[in-house]
Amino acid sequence: ATAAVAAAAAAAGAAAKEDTDNAVTAVKRTADAELVASREELKKAIEGSRVIDGQREEALTALAIRDGEIARLTSEVRELKDSSDAEDSVRLSVAAKLEALQTRNVENEAAAAAAAFFPPSQV
């Protein structure tokens, strides 16, 4: 009877060990699967971060290009304004000279008319 109890206890112990081994194996498999899934999620997150970094770099490059374009256009506008100011100055100078010439012409015409009206011999 003792041998039968010992054999039953040994069989129960072996079954319990097998159940424990199976449970440990199942936990290990679950942990491994979760680890693989976590690694995949981390890889996706890293790749997503790389994509975002790339997009950020592209946006910064585009912004730098636009900033350069704005600076160039601003410079061109200043040059055109300076050129326009210079042209305005020349126009004003020419207009002043024309006005002076017209005044002189009017004065000369008035003197000529007076001379014709009052010839020097009559003065």
Side-chain angles (χ1 to χ4, degrees), residues 5-73:
V5 172
K17 182 178 180 332
E18 186 176 335
D19 287 345
T20 301
D21 288 347
N22 288 340
V24 168
T25 302
V27 168
K28 283 182 181 178
R29 284 185 186 150
T30 302
D32 286 346
E34 288 176 1
L35 182 60
V36 167
S38 294
R39 283 182 182 153
E40 288 303 313
E41 287 179 23
L42 184 58
K43 284 179 185 178
K44 288 178 184 177
I46 289 171
E47 189 57 36
S49 176
R50 287 182 183 145
V51 168
I52 290 170
D53 287 345
Q55 291 171 341
R56 182 182 300 122
E57 281 298 315
E58 288 175 12
L60 288 173
T61 300
L63 186 59
I65 289 170
R66 288 188 185 127
D67 284 348
E69 235 355 73
I70 289 170
R72 184 185 63 77
L73 291 172

Side-chain angles (χ1 to χ4, degrees), residues 58-121:
E58 288 175 12
L60 288 173
T61 300
L63 186 59
I65 289 170
R66 288 188 185 127
D67 284 348
E69 235 355 73
I70 289 170
R72 184 185 63 77
L73 291 172
T74 300
S75 176
E76 286 181 15
V77 167
R78 283 188 188 131
E79 288 175 14
L80 287 172
K81 183 183 180 309
D82 291 346
S83 174
S84 177
D85 289 347
E87 288 173 5
D88 289 347
S89 177
V90 168
R91 280 190 204 105
L92 288 174
S93 175
V94 168
K97 289 177 184 177
L98 283 175
E99 186 177 337
L101 283 173
Q102 287 173 344
T103 302
R104 235 180 275 138
N105 284 342
V106 168
E107 289 171 352
N108 289 341
E109 288 174 6
F117 189 70
F118 301 107
S121 60

